[in-house]
Amino acid sequence: MVDVLPLVEARLTTALGEPDARAAVTFLGTDRIEVLRFQEGDVVRYATLGMSAHPMTDPTAMLADPVKGPRAELVLSVRAGLADTDKVLRPLAVLAASPQVEGLVVTPGASLDVGDPLWPGAPFTSVLVGEPGGLVEDLELDDPMEPVRFLPLLPMTPNEAAWKRVQGAQALQERWLANGTDLRDPARRSVPLD
C-alpha cells in the first residue's frame, strides 16, 4: 500500500512553494490531519494534509474499500493581514476529518459547515467546495487508486449558505461572479441575494 501523503505534500509544495507554517490536529478515532500555510504575496493559503490518506467511502456502503474511492485535500485562500485567519487551522482540520468521522464524501458543490466562525470575527461559518484542478493539479496515483483532488474552499456567510441550499451552488457562484465578489476577502459582506 502506497503512503500517499508524501506525494500529496510534494504536489502542494510544487504548486504553492514551501510552507511557512504547519500545525497538526488529531481527533479521537481519526488519523492526524495537518494544515500547511503558504504565503504568496498578499494571499495566504491553507492546505490540509491527511484527508487523502484513505479513500472517502459512501456511508451506505457495507464495507469501506481501503484502496478504491475518491481522495481529496482542502485548500483555502484568503487575503493576508486583514483578519486573524491563522485560527482557521482547527476548523479546516475538522472539515478534513469529516470523511473519517461522519462518513462524508466531499465533492464540488457541497457545503461544509463548522457551526462557528472560521476564525475570530469571521462572517463565515461554512464553505462551498469548489471545482478541483485550478490552483493545484490532481495527483494521479497507481491503479486502482483514484487521483487526489485538491478542492478549493469558498467561505460562505450564513445567508449565502441558506440561499445556496435553495438555489444551488451554481446559482451562488454566478451571483458572486455577477457582483464581482472578492472571495479571498476575509471580512467581506454577503453578496446581495434578492
Side-chain angles (χ1 to χ4, degrees):
M1 186 74 130
V2 174
D3 182 2
V4 301
L5 296 184
L7 303 173
V8 169
E9 186 168 357
R11 175 57 53 95
L12 286 168
T13 56
T14 298
L16 305 175
E18 286 297 319
D20 66 352
R22 66 193 313 141
V25 180
T26 305
F27 303 101
L28 188 62
T30 67
D31 292 337
R32 180 172 114 146
I33 302 285
E34 286 190 85
V35 179
L36 311 182
R37 184 180 71 189
F38 302 87
Q39 186 86 36
E40 182 185 326
D42 70 338
V43 174
V44 63
R45 302 185 200 286
Y46 301 94
T48 63
L49 179 63
M51 181 176 169
S52 62
H54 305 285
M56 294 180 277
T57 306
D58 184 334
T60 61
M62 293 295 281
L63 290 172
D65 190 314
V67 178
K68 293 182 185 173
R71 295 174 189 257
E73 295 291 353
L74 308 174
V75 181
L76 174 70
S77 301
V78 291
R79 297 222 176 278
L82 302 176
D84 188 9
T85 56
D86 279 352
K87 297 282 196 290
V88 77
L89 300 178
R90 185 165 180 78
L92 266 184
V94 167
L95 296 178
S98 61
Q100 287 183 59
V101 174
E102 300 171 34
L104 289 178
V105 177
V106 179
T107 57
S111 300
L112 302 175
D113 196 321
V114 293
D116 290 311
L118 292 175
W119 52 83
F124 319 106
T125 58
S126 62
V127 293
L128 175 65
V129 180
E131 292 290 334
L135 187 62
V136 183
E137 282 183 41
D138 294 351
L139 173 64
E140 298 294 332
L141 300 172
D142 294 335
D143 277 341
M145 294 190 287
E146 292 186 30
V148 177
R149 304 202 184 292
F150 297 88
L151 302 171
L153 300 181
L154 311 171
M156 293 188 293
T157 66
N159 284 348
E160 290 170 340
W163 197 81
K164 181 255 174 197
R165 277 193 294 277
V166 175
Q167 303 293 330
Q170 183 69 35
L172 179 59
Q173 289 177 306
E174 288 169 5
R175 184 61 61 109
W176 281 337
L177 192 60
N179 285 274
T181 305
D182 180 2
L183 296 174
R184 294 179 180 168
D185 180 352
R188 74 171 179 84
R189 298 190 184 283
S190 183
V191 71
L193 298 170
D194 355 328

